[in-house]
Structures are given as structure tokens and as C-alpha cells.
């Protein structure tokens, strides 16, 4: 994997291994952890309109809280990818190619419709 | 931000902008999208034991499905970070430092206890 | 537990037991299932504004899809409560009393602020 | 709707209306709230095996915490159903009938396989 992921991964794994936590990091629980962290991120925007959520993140203190939640999501997701031997860049490229087939530009441009209903 | 994130970001944003989707990508809906993709990842492990989830990912076809879900989580999360002007590497470093205070090694080593109950 | 829950429970458990699925319905996986179904419900409103979500449910076909997702959430949640010997009505009453302390009327009236920030 | 739901609903709506919160309870945010509460329920079982989760709920204190989370999920879900004019019992019956077609007993008995892979 490329550098920045390697830098982050090194730190994430150091944190984990100092605490001897790999024993808990099976794929099922890692997936649970990702959902739980993603929900904490979502909670920051609960009861806010789309416009209010856009304004909310302009405040420095709020943005820091949101950055923390985004970090938690990324730490677990990048570590899980690494645990499974997944090359993040390649796999995202492949997925974007699949998504491009599901969402052809001429059908999906300017529309937020799920591919099953396009 | 460093290279690989920049490479991925460039592709993710190209995909988005070709479809004129930035209009939908406010923080609230991006957070929803991340939770939804994370749940699809979790669904791969539903009703499986931790041991079964570890075995499940050894199968090439299963791993590809899981890679797809991990990609979806990462695409939205990395894009959201970028939309908010967050430097991913720095913010993860800062969050790991905070987590290190919540989970001091001598208290948390070998234990999967939440910091509020340590 | 009271009648309607008993009626629903009887059907939910009949469905489960005809398929011999109790073996999979441990609390961890039931909680996963509830999150997954709740996310499918949320997906119906993804990329929609609050106003659009309110309009969306007025359409009969959309409402039926949403009813299906709400049913899935309820089936798993009510079954889990029953598996754990929880009396749903009593436990909701108790929780509302706790919530009333977290959210005193004079502090929270007309405000969508989390209790930790009230 | 039948009695117990009506009893619970009356209390849930009284709690909401005393705080003038109906203005926030559009379908999109209600669905977010349900996911968030469901995730908090799931967090109780994070890093625990299926067996450990089954043991965990035998402890009275743990069970109370779990009951609280289940209550939160149910409060929002039952209220949302009511806001949308959904008859909970009927809709669950209809959904069970649909699920029975997706999961015919002879194909799904004793198997935790998703219907798309049966």
C-alpha cells in the first residue's frame, strides 16, 4: 500500500498492539465498530436540516468533534482492510468502476436515485 | 493531504462531479451514506460467529464482496473529510493521542472494556 | 406482556421456530440485525431533505416500502426483548422517566439539543 | 391500533409534545434516530463473542442497560409508525407473509443464509 496509508496504518497498529487488542479485531467485530463509529458521526447531524448541517461544520469546535468521529471510522476501516490484505487504492478504483456501470452518467446526472430505480 | 489520499480523492471527486452529485453531498447525508454502507459491510457477518467471520474472509469471492463494502465506506468518508477541509493524517494522529489518554496501556492492555468502565 | 405484543410475538416466534432459527438469535446478532434493518429504513430517506422525506411518505407505494422496513426493525426488537424476558411496556415507561430527567421540560422545550449540551 | 401500543404511544407522544418536539420528528430524522439508538444497543455487545453476549445479558445491571437501549429503539420506531398512520400489527403480519415467501421453510430451515443466496 502507498505511503500515507502506511503511515496511518503504522500508528493505528502500534496503538492496537501496545494494548494487545488484535485478539478482539476479528472481521465481525471490526464491522460492528465501524457502524458504531459511523452512527456517532451521524448523531452530530441528528435533528438538523441539510442546510443546518452545512452551517454546523463551519464552527471550529463542531468541526473538531466531527473530525474525531471521522477519524474513528477511518482507523477501524483502514485497519480492517489491512487485516484482510486489501490494497485500498486498488480496491477503491475497482469499486468506482463497478459503480460507474450501476450509475451511467447519462442516466444518473443530477439525480440522487438509487441504481435499482434508475 | 498526502499522495494516495489525493489519488483516491481525485477519482472519487471525478466520479461525483461527472454526475453533478455535489449538490446532494451535504454533511448530514454523507454521514447517513457512511452508516448505510457500514451496515452493508456488517451484514456480511450477520449470524456468523467471530470464528466463522474469520474463516469467511479467506474465500476469494467473499473477500471481494467485503472489499466492495469497505470501498464504499472509505469513498464517502474520505470525500466527506475533504469536503470539510480535514487533513486525514493529522486528524487521525490527533485522535489516536486522545484515545491513548482514554485507554492508558496499563489499564486497557488485553481488555476490551470501554473507557467509561475502565 | 399485553395482548398485541403477544399476538405479534406469537407470529414472529412461529416464523422463527418453523425455520429452526433460534440457534442464530443470540443477543449480539439480534442487535446487528436491528441496526441493519434500521439502516435499510434510513436508506429510503438518503439524499432527501426533511421536507422531501415528509412528502415521500405520502405516496402509497413508498409508504409500503417504509412499512416493510419498520416491520423488520420491530420484529427483531420485539423478539429480542422477549428473548431477554423484558416487559416492553414497563421498560419503556421506566426509560421515559429517565429521559424526562435528562430532558426537563423547562430546559428542552422546543430545542433539539442533546442532554449533554443542554 | 391495539391497546398496549396505544398505551405506549400515548406516553411517548405526551413526552414529545410536552417538549414541543414534533417539529423535529420528520421521517428522515426519525430514521436516523432509530439507527443511532440501535447502534448504541449493538455497542453493548461489541468485542464480545456470541456466547459472551448471551452470558452478558444474564447480569441484572447489564440487562437494565440493554433494556434502556431497546426502549429507545422502540419509542422512536413505534412513534414513527404512528406518525405515518401505519397499523403496526397489520404491517408486521404482511411483512411476515412476504418474508415467508423469501424464506420458504424447506429451503431455509436451520440455515442463516440470506434469501438472495438461498
Amino acid at each position: 500500500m502507498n505511503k500515507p496509508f502506511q503511515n496511518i496504518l503504522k500508528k493505528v497498529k502500534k496503538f492496537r498492539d501496545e494494548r494487545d487488542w488484535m485478539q478482539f479485531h476479528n472481521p465481525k467485530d471490526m464491522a460492528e465498530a465501524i457502524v458504531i463509529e459511523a452512527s456517532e458521526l451521524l448523531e452530530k447531524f441528528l435533528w438538523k436540516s441539510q442546510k443546518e448541517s452545512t452551517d454546523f461544520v463551519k464552527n471550529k469546535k463542531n468541526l473538531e468533534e466531527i473530525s474525531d468521529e471521522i477519524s474513528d471510522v477511518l482507523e477501524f476501516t483502514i485497519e480492517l482492510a489491512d487485516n484482510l490484505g486489501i490494497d485500498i487504492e486498488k480496491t477503491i478504483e475497482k469499486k468506482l468502476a463497478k459503480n460507474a456501470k450501476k450509475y451511467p452518467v447519462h442516466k444518473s446526472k443530477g439525480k440522487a436515485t438509487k441504481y435499482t430505480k434508475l
Side-chain angles (χ1 to χ4, degrees), chain A:
Chain A
M1 242 179 275
N2 267 20
K3 266 292 161 53
F5 285 124
Q6 287 305 353
N7 286 343
I8 290 177
L9 262 172
K10 212 184 293 176
K11 284 161 193 161
V12 168
K13 288 158 81 171
K14 185 169 174 284
F15 183 90
R16 176 194 71 196
D17 293 336
E18 283 172 352
R19 283 156 188 79
D20 196 15
W21 281 355
M22 187 58 210
Q23 59 184 310
F24 306 117
H25 286 199
N26 63 82
K28 182 183 182 79
D29 283 274
M30 291 298 278
E32 287 187 2
I34 295 166
V35 172
I36 290 164
E37 299 299 345
S39 275
E40 292 182 7
L41 173 63
L42 181 60
E43 197 184 355
K44 301 292 176 189
F45 304 109
L46 181 62
W47 313 125
K48 293 183 177 65
S49 71
Q50 294 169 326
K51 171 77 173 63
E52 286 164 342
S53 80
T54 304
D55 291 341
F56 183 75
V57 297
K58 288 176 186 161
N59 173 289
K60 211 188 141 181
K61 173 96 185 54
N62 297 338
L63 184 57
E64 204 185 304
E65 288 180 20
I66 287 158
S67 300
D68 279 355
E69 303 302 347
I70 289 177
S71 292
D72 286 334
V73 173
L74 286 176
E75 286 161 34
F76 283 120
T77 313
I78 292 173
E79 192 207 315
L80 175 58
D82 184 65
N83 292 347
L84 302 182
I86 294 171
D87 181 314
I88 291 178
E89 263 202 277
K90 268 195 210 155
T91 208
I92 290 183
E93 263 178 66
K94 270 173 71 175
K95 189 51 169 58
L96 284 174
K98 286 187 195 179
N99 289 350
K101 278 188 193 160
K102 284 184 184 175
Y103 295 97
V105 172
H106 71 282
K107 276 194 181 176
S108 57
K109 192 161 188 174
K111 278 188 278 180
T113 313
K114 199 180 172 177
Y115 72 96
T116 48
K117 305 215 168 184
L118 266 182

